Amino acid sequence: MTILVTGGAGFIGSNYINGWFKNSDEAIVNLDNLTYAGNLNNLVSVSDRDQYHFVKGDIADKALLADLLTKYSPRTIINFAAESHVDRSISGPESFIQTNIVGTFNLLESVLSYWRELPVVAKDEFRFLHVSTDEVYGSLAYTDPAFLETNAYQPNSPYSASKAASDHLVRAYHHTYGLPVLTTNCSNNYGPYQFPEKLIPLVIHNALAGKPLPIYGDGSNIRDWLYVGDHCAAIRRVLEAGRPGDVYNIGGLNEKTNLEVVNTLCDLLDKLKPQPSVASYASQITFVTDRAGHDQRYAIDASKIKHDLGWQPSESFESGMRDTVQWYLDNQDWVSNVTSGDYRNWVEKHYA
């Protein structure tokens, strides 16, 4: 038995693969194009396993997909592959359209052809799980109820629009062709191996380097924060018991403003890595011009997955953040390897 994971060298995908082999010996094929955020160093702990197979390639490559599906005969496909950073989608949306829409379409086409030829039992047991985001639902006011799976899609950035399109394609392939799909829409993830363009690893990296800690606008934008290990556990549960065609919102139940998140990080760093020269890392906080079209608030109602599948997050915001900060402190070599000259140029462009 084999699982095919796309985008498995990225942040969430690599955490999923590392966690999978702590709970199972079932083989995984990891298809990843190794763009800037894909990093095989995320998977050093499993790279020597006989059950782990890495293939460099694009989910838009139908010939490659056909070969992989024929060779490995996976019982499940988990689609993590995506361009995922809003800021990058604003300055360069084309790659988001190509990967998130065209790539997902080609993946679905290849998987549909494969699935149709499976024996009856294997066909019934097959699953295609598409990992998406809460950003497809748009922005909430402070008093609005949290996003439900039934909320209308109102994406506001090229990133969220491209993910919304991919979600609609996945839904269509179930309702039109019967492909047994599952879709998960998660809130903001954090944890080990996150590329330091996102808020939490960026702040940790800049704090330790004595650089400004950039916060968009006045820092009042609210996100629900989900520890990546909890997200991976939820995906495993959806694969085990989710109903084909259904959507499951996965949230951390931790709504925080960006300023609260940064202050929490500073407090943790003050305790775990105090600097003798300053009283607190919080003195490095700097407010910068707000992002174009910045959504005010995201919040996930995860009652469906709790009621139907019995999943809820195990990490509190405090425990997850402490583990995350400690991981980055313990893995500075990893950080140094991914923060290349191109990365520094990008940060200067977006947070100047």
Side-chain angles (χ1 to χ4, degrees), residues 41-346:
N41 288 332
N42 298 359
L43 295 157
V44 169
S45 65
V46 303
S47 59
D48 291 335
R49 281 179 170 265
D50 292 338
Q51 303 96 330
Y52 173 72
H53 310 279
F54 171 73
V55 178
K56 184 181 184 304
D58 194 327
I59 60 169
D61 186 341
K62 286 186 178 181
L64 174 60
L65 289 169
D67 288 344
L68 290 177
L69 293 170
T70 300
K71 179 178 180 180
Y72 291 104
S73 300
R75 68 173 180 87
T76 291
I77 294 170
I78 308 174
N79 183 31
F80 292 104
E83 295 286 347
S84 66
H85 192 38
V86 174
D87 293 351
R88 287 182 183 266
S89 80
I90 293 170
S91 60
E94 183 175 358
S95 62
F96 288 74
I97 304 304
Q98 290 300 320
T99 298
N100 298 351
I101 302 178
V102 178
T104 301
F105 165 71
N106 285 343
L107 179 61
L108 285 166
E109 282 283 281
S110 299
V111 171
L112 180 63
S113 296
Y114 165 75
W115 174 74
R116 282 173 164 169
E117 299 302 319
L118 289 174
V120 173
V121 174
K123 193 174 184 180
D124 289 341
E125 294 178 349
F126 180 83
R127 296 292 182 269
F128 177 96
L129 191 148
H130 177 64
V131 179
S132 191
T133 171
D134 58 359
E135 297 192 36
V136 297
Y137 298 121
S139 183
L140 294 170
Y142 291 115
T143 57
D144 287 341
F147 296 130
L148 290 166
E149 289 83 355
T150 53
N151 272 57
Y153 275 28
Q154 295 181 316
N156 292 321
S157 70
Y159 161 61
S160 57
S162 68
K163 287 298 291 183
S166 70
D167 292 4
H168 289 319
L169 284 169
V170 171
R171 173 185 168 86
Y173 272 66
H174 173 71
H175 285 273
T176 300
Y177 305 114
L179 187 68
V181 306
L182 300 155
T183 298
T184 57
N185 293 89
C186 68
S187 55
N188 279 36
N189 277 222
Y190 68 98
Y193 301 113
Q194 189 170 30
F195 190 76
E197 65 184 357
K198 300 293 180 77
L199 178 64
I200 289 174
L202 173 70
V203 167
I204 296 171
H205 179 61
N206 279 19
L208 296 176
K211 297 178 179 179
L213 311 182
I215 300 178
Y216 281 133
D218 61 3
S220 64
N221 301 79
I222 296 171
R223 300 293 182 262
D224 173 47
W225 292 93
L226 172 66
Y227 187 67
V228 68
D230 280 335
H231 184 195
C232 294
I235 290 173
R236 289 194 295 270
R237 183 59 186 150
V238 172
L239 279 176
E240 290 169 355
R243 187 173 66 178
D246 269 15
V247 176
Y248 296 91
N249 282 351
I250 304 172
L253 311 180
N254 292 305
E255 284 190 59
K256 305 289 181 184
T257 67
N258 288 344
L259 185 56
E260 286 179 302
V261 172
V262 175
N263 278 322
T264 298
L265 288 168
C266 291
D267 289 343
L268 284 166
L269 287 167
D270 289 341
K271 295 172 184 175
L272 298 173
K273 189 75 172 178
Q275 289 197 104
S277 58
V278 295
S280 173
Y281 288 95
S283 63
Q284 297 167 223
I285 291 176
T286 303
F287 295 94
V288 299
T289 302
D290 205 358
R291 180 168 70 200
H294 200 173
D295 288 341
Q296 183 58 50
R297 172 175 169 249
Y298 305 143
I300 282 283
D301 184 326
S303 56
K304 177 180 177 178
I305 191 172
K306 180 180 180 181
H307 178 267
D308 290 4
L309 305 184
W311 176 89
Q312 60 184 348
S314 60
E315 294 284 351
S316 67
F317 183 70
E318 292 73 23
S319 65
M321 287 287 281
R322 185 179 182 88
D323 287 349
T324 299
V325 171
Q326 191 62 62
W327 186 89
Y328 280 95
L329 291 175
D330 293 341
N331 291 274
Q332 283 297 293
D333 287 345
W334 180 90
V335 175
S336 296
N337 287 336
V338 301
T339 50
S340 66
D342 287 342
Y343 165 79
R344 289 193 294 272
N345 293 337
W346 186 88

Side-chain angles (χ1 to χ4, degrees), residues 2-10 13-15 17-18 21 27-34 38-40 42-43 46 51-57 59 64 68 72 78 80-81:
T2 301
I3 288 177
L4 173 62
V5 171
T6 70
S14 62
N15 273 280
I17 292 173
N18 285 323
F21 285 121
I28 281 185
V29 178
N30 174 15
L31 173 65
D32 197 294
N33 208 25
L34 295 183
N39 187 353
L40 292 180
N42 298 359
L43 295 157
V46 303
Q51 303 96 330
Y52 173 72
H53 310 279
F54 171 73
V55 178
K56 184 181 184 304
I59 60 169
L64 174 60
L68 290 177
Y72 291 104
I78 308 174
F80 292 104

